[in-house]
Amino acid sequence: MMPDETPAPTPTRFFRACLLILGGIVALWLALELLAHFWGWLLLIAGIALVWWCAVIIYRYWWGRRF
């Protein structure tokens, strides 16, 4: 910090902190609203990926025992 700079007054720092908290709350609310629209698709994609992964594991295990 430079010697000629004075720190911001306490009410200004408090107001900025409140604005940052409000912005964080709005961002979380928006993220949850978007997630509410897409959670079904995300679960479907995760389910397909899980089935595919299990199929690959079973296939590798089954072919590994034949030789």
Side-chain angles (χ1 to χ4, degrees):
M1 186 181 334
M2 301 282 293
D4 57 341
E5 292 181 12
T6 58
T10 303
T12 302
R13 291 185 2 220
F14 178 73
F15 180 71
R16 288 180 185 169
C18 288
L19 285 179
L20 286 174
I21 291 170
L22 180 64
I25 290 171
V26 169
L28 284 174
W29 174 78
L30 183 61
L32 288 175
E33 286 294 319
L34 289 174
L35 185 62
H37 289 284
F38 299 114
W39 73 271
W41 290 105
L42 293 174
L43 286 178
L44 178 65
I45 291 169
I48 291 171
L50 180 65
V51 168
W52 181 80
W53 180 72
C54 288
V56 168
I57 296 297
I58 291 169
Y59 177 79
R60 290 179 70 187
Y61 176 75
W62 186 63
W63 277 103
R65 293 191 62 198
R66 296 185 99 187
F67 296 112

